Amino acid sequence: MTGQTLPMARTPLVDLTGWRGHLTALGIVAFAILTLFFDDVHSMVSIWWNSSTFGHCLFVPPLIAWLVQQRLPGLRQLEPVAWTPGLIWLGLGALAWLLGAAAGVAMVRHGALILMLQGATVALLGPAVARALIFPLFYAFFMVPFGEEIVPPLQLVTAQLTMFFLDLSGVPAHMEGIFITTPTGYFEVAEACSGAKFLIAMTAYGVLVCNVCFKSWPRRIIFMGGALLLSILANGVRAFATILVAHLTTIDAAVGFDHVVYGWVFFAIIMIVVMATAWPFFDRKPGDPWFDPQRLQSPVPNPGSAGRVAGIALALIVAAPLWLAATAANADPLPARIDLPSVPGWTRSATPMAYPWKPRFDGADHATLGRYRNADGQIVDLAIIAYERQDEGRELVGFGQGAADPDGQWVWSSPAAAPSGARGEQITAPGPVVRQVVSYYVVGGNAPTGSRPQVKIATMKARLLGQDQRAVAILISAEEGQGRPADAAIRAFLTNIGDIQLLADRSAGIR
């Protein structure tokens, strides 16, 4: 009797077929993303928890879960497939994280996390499921804390609206930047008064309402436009009302009024007005299906294996931090110290400042500040800040970095004139004391710039390609004085100091 060896069937360790298998693969990839980029996840959640501007982001994950739950009856009629082209979206997310990490832009890194999670969903569940979940996937972008950039413009818009209403009401007032003076007192349209907090939250809320309550795109656009416009206008009315109360009563009464109205009453009324106005125009009825499963489900040519697609996804997300680590350059050394330059026609001065000023650059390797005076009595302050290399928490440009320390008494008040290749701004301290500041930034010996995006691009290029990462900020500042305009003093100083790039390169030890 001849013995025979029967073939043995191989049973996969994990069954990656059907909904259970595809969700398992997705869970593994999502866990890997959240683990590998945990620092960014932690920083994003910390912003939600600690910043009142982004407190609404805490509600976005539960809302996404609710939106998915609403779509479950239709999703059960779809068949998930592993779709290799979906990896392109995940790869774009990994690339975005690499660029954001190299440039030191937290918002880009946070957005990249969302892109990678979206790409994993599309790749491991397939195009039909992705189309069914298109709005929940899109709405995930509202987990990214973004919008701080609109604060200065909104401060100016709010100040201008306030002046308009004060003129209508007959209250005499004068505006300089974001500061308004009336016979009662001196008022600042601070960051908290800009209305950015409510506008950002209203955007997230409005987009949700557009999906849940409307089917028609023209109605959605009109609703969003009206909601955002009303938010900006209402904030101007609130600021005006606060100053009017101060004009008619006292400053203390106005402060109490502002806290109560801003916190609890005024914007709650605005939300009610927005929804009450839009209610008659809602065209999505309760119980309307979110999508037609029959239209979405179509054969996918050459569907991939969930295990294989998950493996490629894991390789893509690991490649981004590995590349950054592999191309990280050894930092070129800075000089042991930075001395302030001798400027023809100017001498060092010990004249005290009208209000103490020092720019903020966290983690700088060198920071030097000196005061100069010329024969005409013009006084200018020069600050030189240098970094051997930039990293998280020690950046040339970033939130809270620059001429005005957000934890101090100096506040940004308006843009100001500046030479080509520089950034000009006006800052104000109690008194009021007004300063004009011209800032130059130089990264790795490149030409000086006042553009923050250009600084980030130069930093990103240096870190990605292992180039010179030394970075220098040069700030020239002067106080506004009676008959002594700050911009004239700064222009005179810049004329005599010579080549800014040469000064920056010497400060960085490049030449």
Side-chain angles (χ1 to χ4, degrees), residues 222-358:
I222 292 171
F223 173 81
M224 278 301 301
L228 298 181
L229 184 62
L230 185 60
S231 300
I232 296 171
L233 183 62
N235 190 63
V237 172
R238 180 199 62 79
F240 155 72
T242 301
I243 295 178
L244 184 63
V245 168
H247 182 73
L248 298 176
T249 57
T250 65
I251 295 290
D252 290 340
V255 171
F257 167 83
D258 183 60
H259 286 171
V260 172
V261 169
Y262 185 75
W264 300 102
V265 180
F266 197 71
F267 288 121
I269 294 174
I270 298 304
M271 296 280 282
I272 293 171
V273 169
V274 167
M275 293 304 293
T277 304
W279 190 286
F281 302 98
F282 291 171
D283 57 359
R284 181 184 290 280
K285 299 177 182 178
D288 281 355
W290 297 99
F291 58 88
D292 182 358
Q294 299 302 319
R295 290 185 58 191
L296 294 183
Q297 187 72 72
S298 58
V300 175
N302 302 317
S305 158
R308 178 174 172 273
V309 171
I312 298 173
L314 291 172
L316 286 173
I317 63 174
V318 170
L322 284 180
W323 176 273
L324 196 61
T327 57
N330 292 323
D332 295 299
L334 291 172
R337 55 177 289 176
I338 295 178
D339 295 320
L340 289 170
S342 297
V343 182
W346 297 77
T347 58
R348 294 290 301 277
S349 172
T351 306
M353 298 180 181
Y355 196 94
W357 172 74
K358 181 181 179 182

Side-chain angles (χ1 to χ4, degrees), residues 26 29 47 74 81 116 130 234 244 260 295 302 318 381 391 402 407 465 477:
L26 177 59
V29 174
I47 294 172
V81 295
M116 286 188 277
L244 184 63
V260 172
R295 290 185 58 191
N302 302 317
V318 170
D381 295 298
D391 210 337
D407 296 330
L465 303 180
S477 174

Side-chain angles (χ1 to χ4, degrees), residues 482-493:
Q482 188 67 32
R484 295 186 181 279
D487 59 342
I490 292 173
R491 282 199 307 270
F493 188 79

Side-chain angles (χ1 to χ4, degrees), residues 58-151:
L58 290 166
F59 298 98
V60 175
L63 283 172
I64 293 173
W66 175 76
L67 290 167
V68 173
Q69 186 271 333
Q70 293 290 302
R71 289 159 172 77
L72 280 181
L75 288 171
R76 292 192 179 100
Q77 301 178 48
L78 298 175
E79 186 67 28
V81 295
W83 193 48
T84 305
L87 292 170
I88 296 173
W89 195 249
L90 188 148
L92 290 174
L95 176 62
W97 182 90
L98 178 62
L99 299 179
V105 183
M107 184 181 72
V108 175
R109 297 198 309 271
H110 296 160
L113 291 179
I114 304 302
L115 287 174
M116 286 188 277
L117 291 170
Q118 291 171 336
T121 302
V122 175
L124 290 165
L125 298 185
V129 175
R131 287 197 293 269
L133 295 175
I134 190 166
F135 181 75
L137 289 172
F138 163 76
Y139 201 67
F141 281 120
F142 285 101
M143 290 192 287
V144 179
F146 67 92
E148 292 283 1
E149 299 77 11
I150 68 174
V151 170

Side-chain angles (χ1 to χ4, degrees), residues 403-447:
D405 183 353
D407 296 330
Q409 295 298 314
W410 287 96
V411 296
W412 181 91
S413 54
S414 69
S420 176
R423 169 188 173 88
E425 55 193 326
Q426 188 181 90
I427 60 176
T428 305
V433 177
V434 178
R435 268 186 178 272
Q436 186 167 323
V437 185
V438 170
S439 304
Y440 293 90
Y441 305 109
V442 178
V443 177
N446 292 312

Side-chain angles (χ1 to χ4, degrees), residues 44-61:
M44 186 161 60
V45 175
S46 296
I47 294 172
W48 301 352
W49 188 259
N50 297 315
S51 172
S52 59
T53 301
F54 301 109
H56 67 277
C57 293
L58 290 166
F59 298 98
V60 175

